[in-house]
Amino acid sequence: MLAKGFILGKDAINKAKGFDEKHQLTSTASAKVVSFDKKIGLTEKISAGTTVVGDKVREVDQKFQVSEKTKSAFAAAEQKVSSAGSAIMSNRYVFTGAAWVTGAFNKVAKAAGDVGQKAKEKAGMAEEEQKRKMVDDFAQVHLSESPKASGASDQKPSKPPPAQGLIL
């Protein structure tokens, strides 16, 4: 089901791209935005406003030394957190628990990666199967329409292969 959903989504995106290319919606909208921007000068106004605000922020920072005070406060907090973390991790029970949680998390992450890889593989296989089926159906239609195949159309078509699902 996951593979079929992936294929449907991929197909919908391709159809939307084709529709956009045919009707040129994106390029027309982009051209109108650029034209509108040139008429009112919005980009220049925003740029000038940003420069003015930046200058005011620097002026206030120099006056009240906010950056320096913030840096020293962060440095002191970082030092306190580091020393507290060292004290906690030196406890062998905490260290053992942290190691166990890390190992469990790594196993879950690996399993999730494996499932994702399997889903990609199944999606690719399903997509190839769908393409092969379309080609076979196309060939079957053309064979049944050709005058040489009139005798061959009396034969029963071969049985399709059994459906394969997502195996985890």
Side-chain angles (χ1 to χ4, degrees):
M1 286 178 26
L2 185 63
K4 294 287 185 186
F6 177 77
I7 292 170
L8 286 174
K10 191 175 177 182
D11 196 34
I13 288 172
N14 289 335
K15 286 182 181 180
K17 283 181 184 178
F19 183 81
D20 183 47
E21 288 173 2
K22 181 179 178 183
H23 298 287
Q24 297 182 349
L25 298 174
T26 303
S27 60
T28 303
S30 297
K32 289 191 182 212
V33 168
V34 168
S35 172
F36 182 71
D37 181 40
K38 285 182 181 180
K39 284 180 186 177
I40 64 169
L42 186 62
T43 303
E44 290 82 18
K45 290 176 184 174
I46 290 174
S47 178
T50 303
T51 303
V52 169
V53 169
D55 291 344
K56 290 292 181 185
V57 167
R58 277 190 287 283
E59 183 181 315
V60 168
D61 184 40
Q62 288 175 352
K63 184 176 181 180
F64 297 109
Q65 297 182 350
V66 175
S67 295
E68 288 302 318
K69 291 177 182 176
T70 304
K71 285 179 188 176
S72 57
F74 273 125
E78 185 180 5
Q79 187 177 12
K80 293 290 182 184
V81 168
S82 177
S83 61
S86 296
I88 290 171
M89 287 308 288
S90 65
N91 183 323
R92 73 180 180 119
Y93 297 110
V94 172
F95 181 75
T96 303
W100 181 85
V101 168
T102 301
F105 177 77
N106 288 339
K107 288 178 183 176
V108 169
K110 184 182 182 313
D114 291 347
V115 167
Q117 184 62 33
K118 286 280 189 190
K120 281 184 181 179
E121 290 171 5
K122 290 291 182 180
M125 288 172 33
E127 190 172 15
E128 288 298 320
E129 177 67 22
Q130 186 179 22
K131 286 179 184 177
R132 187 191 60 75
K133 187 176 184 295
M134 286 175 52
V135 168
D136 289 349
D137 290 346
F138 183 76
Q140 187 68 29
V141 166
H142 283 290
L143 282 175
S144 65
E145 290 177 358
S146 70
K148 293 180 184 177
S150 61
S153 64
D154 295 338
Q155 297 175 354
K156 293 183 181 179
S158 65
K159 192 174 185 181
Q164 295 179 352
L166 180 63
I167 302 170
L168 299 175

